[in-house]
Amino acid sequence: MKSLGIVLSLGLISMIAGGLLSLWDKQTAPLIEINRIKALERGIAQVLPAHDRYETKIVKDVTYYWGYDKDQTEPVGVAFSTAGPGFQGKVALMIGVKPDLTEVTGVQVISQIETPGLGTKIVVDPSNKEDKYWFSNQFKALVLDRAIEVLKNKKPSEPHQIQAITGATISSKAVAKLVSNGVAHARQVWLDQPEVP
Amino acid sequence: MARTPKPLKAEFAKGLWAENPVLTSMLGLCPVLAVTNSAENGLAMGLATSFVLLCSSTLVSLLRKVIPKQVRIAGYIVIIASFVTLADRFLAAYFPEISAALGPYIPLIVVNCLILGRQEAFSAKNGLGRTWLDSTGMSVGFTLVLIVLGGIREILGNGSLFNIPLLGDWFDPWMVMILPPGAFFTLGLMIAAANQYNIKRGR
């Protein structure tokens, strides 16, 4: 009889817990989904030129967001997210590219765990008073006709070059590599199929 | 265990100083050290923990005669885990930025020994009134320490408090303060100061 009490009491507690959780899930799940989409759209808006709507296409495990202008069928650019190893852990980026995949329109770091004060400058660099986001802004209008060149302590002079962050060369190179790999992958997917989009 | 009941006021006040969960009992140090890189994160973690502690204590105190002794810990954990999930979903739905900043540390409240410790040591042996006083005191004590710790680290490591810039451009932030070592330094000094105060007062 003793074990019956144990079963009943644990069962009762679990039932109360399960009921509470399912009620609360009904309440919050739509809001959490809205937050996720909002964050995604913020990321897309930051890397693509001004667009009115976007279409989602999933090819080979990568989700591509094609941005379109108002009343126009021609896309203004394509955005996608990609992730790979940085200095200490995973770096995730949202990358925007022109529709012909030759020029970057913007890069945004979604998540990273790089060294605070050094590697975190790939997101924001408080020590640069003119442009806190100078590192990711370098990728705007970066031309992808050849491999991205990462320069140390030198201002870029050609359109395929970016400058590395002092003290965070590995983080800087990791971002550049993610961009070139992501674009190479996108080219494989989209350039072979001229009819899409 | 025979214990003479404390006056009600002391039941609340003990959590603030004499039995402060962080400064004296040193319970639940994982979130204390991990998320206090700003006052805002400290406050959010303190409130989330307080919510879980208050709700779990209420339920445990009400069910203390129903739950058999052999499975009491399992029962407490189910109760605590449910309220943690509620808090986690609440933050993700209504405060996505805070939820992203605290990351996995909200689900980890489940294993915060402050909460399980209070259930086992207090709520399971006391009525609802005393349990509420005890939990509220512990929650306030815990949250205050987190805000102070987060505040000190944010001022020195970022030159701001609650995201309001306090120190001007001349101030070069001490990066170490918002890194994990800063948490250990600051908490160590806070505990030392509390002990020093207690020793001086005891003499």
Side-chain angles (χ1 to χ4, degrees):
Chain A
M1 276 324 274
K2 213 173 177 187
S3 54
L4 185 69
I6 291 174
V7 171
L8 280 180
S9 63
L10 271 187
L12 174 75
I13 293 170
S14 305
M15 259 167 61
I16 298 174
L20 261 177
L21 288 179
S22 66
L23 277 179
W24 191 236
D25 185 65
K26 261 206 186 123
Q27 167 72 23
T28 53
L31 288 166
I32 293 173
E33 180 62 13
I34 288 170
N35 287 339
R36 194 187 65 77
I37 293 172
K38 265 192 198 156
L40 176 70
E41 285 178 347
R42 257 202 310 273
I44 297 173
Q46 271 162 342
V47 298
L48 281 190
H51 57 279
D52 208 51
R53 62 190 176 87
Y54 69 90
E55 272 176 25
T56 308
K57 283 173 183 149
I58 302 170
V59 189
K60 284 190 192 165
D61 299 332
V62 183
T63 315
Y64 293 93
Y65 308 96
W66 286 90
Y68 291 90
D69 235 354
K70 211 182 206 164
D71 322 313
Q72 274 181 10
T73 44
E74 285 296 301
V76 294
V78 56
F80 54 92
S81 66
T82 176
F87 181 58
Q88 303 195 90
K90 200 174 88 170
V91 175
L93 301 177
M94 177 69 85
I95 301 169
V97 194
K98 283 199 172 169
D100 57 0
L101 307 177
T102 55
E103 195 180 315
V104 179
T105 53
V107 166
Q108 194 71 27
V109 180
I110 303 167
S111 71
Q112 50 82 25
I113 47 164
E114 302 300 281
T115 323
L118 294 172
T120 48
K121 287 181 184 172
I122 60 173
V123 185
V124 54
D125 178 2
S127 66
N128 191 322
K129 303 283 181 227
E130 284 148 38
D131 182 9
K132 285 180 180 177
Y133 307 102
W134 68 270
F135 183 76
S136 52
N137 281 344
Q138 291 186 103
F139 287 90
K140 274 181 194 157
L142 186 74
V143 175
L144 298 163
D145 53 350
R146 59 203 123 151
I148 302 171
E149 198 181 336
V150 182
L151 303 175
K152 272 195 195 180
N153 302 319
K154 241 191 321 190
K155 289 253 176 280
S157 53
E158 291 189 53
H160 69 286
Q161 294 173 329
I162 60 155
Q163 188 182 354
I165 295 159
T166 313
T169 314
I170 295 177
S171 302
S172 309
K173 282 188 173 162
V175 174
K177 195 176 165 196
L178 279 174
V179 171
S180 47
N181 286 355
V183 172
H185 192 267
R187 281 179 179 163
Q188 273 179 15
V189 169
W190 296 106
L191 294 188
D192 296 344
Q193 301 154 288
E195 76 275 13
V196 267
Chain B
M1 189 179 77
R3 59 197 281 280
T4 43
K6 284 184 182 161
L8 292 178
K9 213 172 120 192
E11 212 73 271
F12 171 77
K14 69 178 191 292
L16 300 184
W17 186 263
E19 292 179 31
N20 184 289
V22 180
L23 295 178
T24 311
S25 328
M26 295 191 206
L27 286 174
L29 289 191
C30 165
V32 171
L33 293 165
V35 302
T36 51
N37 49 12
S38 71
E40 187 186 51
N41 286 353
L43 174 67
M45 175 49 89
L47 290 181
T49 310
S50 305
F51 165 78
V52 175
L53 180 56
L54 273 169
C55 296
S56 311
S57 298
T58 305
L59 218 54
V60 167
S61 177
L62 285 175
L63 294 173
R64 69 186 187 280
K65 298 208 171 87
V66 183
I67 303 177
K69 243 188 146 131
Q70 297 90 328
V71 292
R72 65 185 191 286
I73 301 290
Y76 302 160
I77 290 290
V78 172
I79 292 169
I80 294 168
S82 311
F83 285 115
V84 169
T85 312
L86 294 189
D88 186 33
R89 304 280 293 183
F90 173 79
L91 285 177
Y94 296 98
F95 299 98
E97 279 91 24
I98 290 179
S99 172
L102 297 182
Y105 291 101
I106 292 291
L108 280 176
I109 296 175
V110 177
V111 289
N112 188 324
C113 37
L114 161 65
I115 295 173
L116 186 62
R118 285 336 283 171
Q119 311 313 327
E120 176 75 354
F122 201 92
S123 310
K125 295 172 188 146
N126 288 278
L128 203 51
R130 277 180 186 277
T131 295
W132 270 339
L133 285 173
D134 173 78
S135 306
T136 318
M138 290 290 163
S139 301
V140 173
F142 186 75
T143 309
L144 282 180
V145 172
L146 259 71
I147 296 174
V148 171
L149 181 56
I152 295 173
R153 290 178 66 194
E154 191 182 344
I155 292 173
L156 295 176
N158 201 30
S160 62
L161 188 62
F162 282 106
N163 297 326
I164 302 160
L166 283 187
L167 306 168
D169 276 347
W170 56 270
F171 180 74
D172 200 13
W174 305 4
M175 202 52 79
V176 67
M177 293 307 284
I178 52 172
L179 297 180
F184 284 95
F185 292 149
T186 316
L187 184 64
L189 290 173
M190 280 170 72
I191 292 172
N195 283 342
Q196 179 67 19
Y197 175 79
N198 284 338
I199 290 168
K200 276 238 165 106
R201 211 176 49 164
R203 254 206 309 250

